[in-house]
Amino acid sequence: MKTIVNKSQFVILLMTLACTLSTIAQPPGRMRERIKEKKEQVKSQKIAFITQELNLSPDEAAKFWPIYNAYDEKQAEIRKQKVNAFMDRNDSDALDRLTEKEAQNALSQMENTEDELHKLRKKFLADIKNVLPSVKILKLKRAEEAFNRKLIERLRERRGRK
């Protein structure tokens, strides 16, 4: 009985190793391509979800999506910069080596990023008020949060299966 368990564990280990090697063996361009495809897929699902949740008319959708997409791209750009800056300083040794002035600059940069995101959101809301009624703008916030929750749940489920 023990050899059966060991053999099955060995087979699982080999399968895991083979999957890992095939992923690692993929050219970096192919991996980037797959990531880009997944991002596009998520974006399409988000558009469909929000359009349905807001019950956008064709005219509303034609005016709304260019504004929303520009806002979403700018927001992603700002957040990417924020994450990159955080990752540069996240190493505990790097934090311990910061001077007080460097730490103050880092905090200031974090505040500026948050201010920039807030200003962007305010501009987006001002722009969108000319396109959608206030009730649909409130529904947009709820739809974005619901979509993000569903996306996180799906990611957790996928990780649980692997």
Side-chain angles (χ1 to χ4, degrees):
M1 184 77 168
K2 188 172 184 171
T3 57
I4 293 172
V5 172
N6 287 338
K7 285 181 183 178
S8 63
Q9 288 175 336
F10 182 72
V11 169
I12 291 171
L13 178 65
L14 281 178
M15 288 173 45
T16 304
L17 182 62
C19 289
T20 303
L21 289 176
S22 69
T23 302
I24 292 170
Q26 287 185 1
R30 176 68 181 131
M31 191 65 107
R32 278 190 220 105
E33 188 178 308
R34 287 186 62 196
I35 290 170
K36 186 177 179 182
E37 288 171 3
K38 287 291 184 189
K39 283 183 180 181
E40 288 299 319
Q41 188 179 32
V42 168
K43 185 176 181 177
S44 295
Q45 291 170 350
K46 184 177 182 179
I47 289 170
F49 185 83
I50 290 174
T51 299
Q52 181 180 354
E53 291 296 306
L54 270 55
N55 195 22
L56 295 176
S57 70
D59 185 50
E60 287 174 329
K63 293 175 184 173
F64 169 77
W65 285 111
I67 297 169
Y68 185 85
N69 289 335
Y71 159 74
D72 200 40
E73 287 172 19
K74 182 65 177 169
Q75 180 178 250
E77 180 184 312
I78 293 168
R79 287 195 170 145
K80 184 177 181 180
Q81 291 170 358
K82 179 181 175 180
V83 167
N84 288 341
F86 176 76
M87 294 304 282
D88 290 343
R89 290 189 285 277
N90 195 31
D91 180 16
S92 61
D93 290 337
L95 284 176
D96 290 337
R97 289 191 306 264
L98 284 179
T99 65
E100 183 62 23
K101 183 171 178 128
E102 290 171 332
Q104 287 174 352
N105 287 340
L107 286 173
S108 179
Q109 185 180 15
M110 289 169 54
E111 289 171 350
N112 290 340
T113 301
E114 290 301 320
D115 286 344
E116 194 175 350
L117 284 168
H118 180 72
K119 287 176 187 172
L120 179 65
R121 183 74 182 175
K122 284 180 75 168
K123 181 186 180 318
F124 168 70
L125 289 173
D127 292 345
I128 216 70
K129 283 179 183 177
N130 299 321
V131 175
L132 296 178
S134 298
V135 171
K136 286 190 178 184
I137 295 172
L138 293 173
K139 287 182 179 181
L140 170 63
K141 180 68 174 160
R142 185 176 64 194
E144 287 175 318
E145 291 170 355
F147 180 81
N148 290 336
R149 266 193 314 276
K150 287 182 179 191
L151 186 61
I152 290 169
E153 286 171 13
R154 284 193 312 209
L155 288 172
R156 285 183 181 150
E157 288 172 5
R158 285 182 66 205
R159 285 188 183 149
R161 277 190 256 147
K162 289 185 176 182

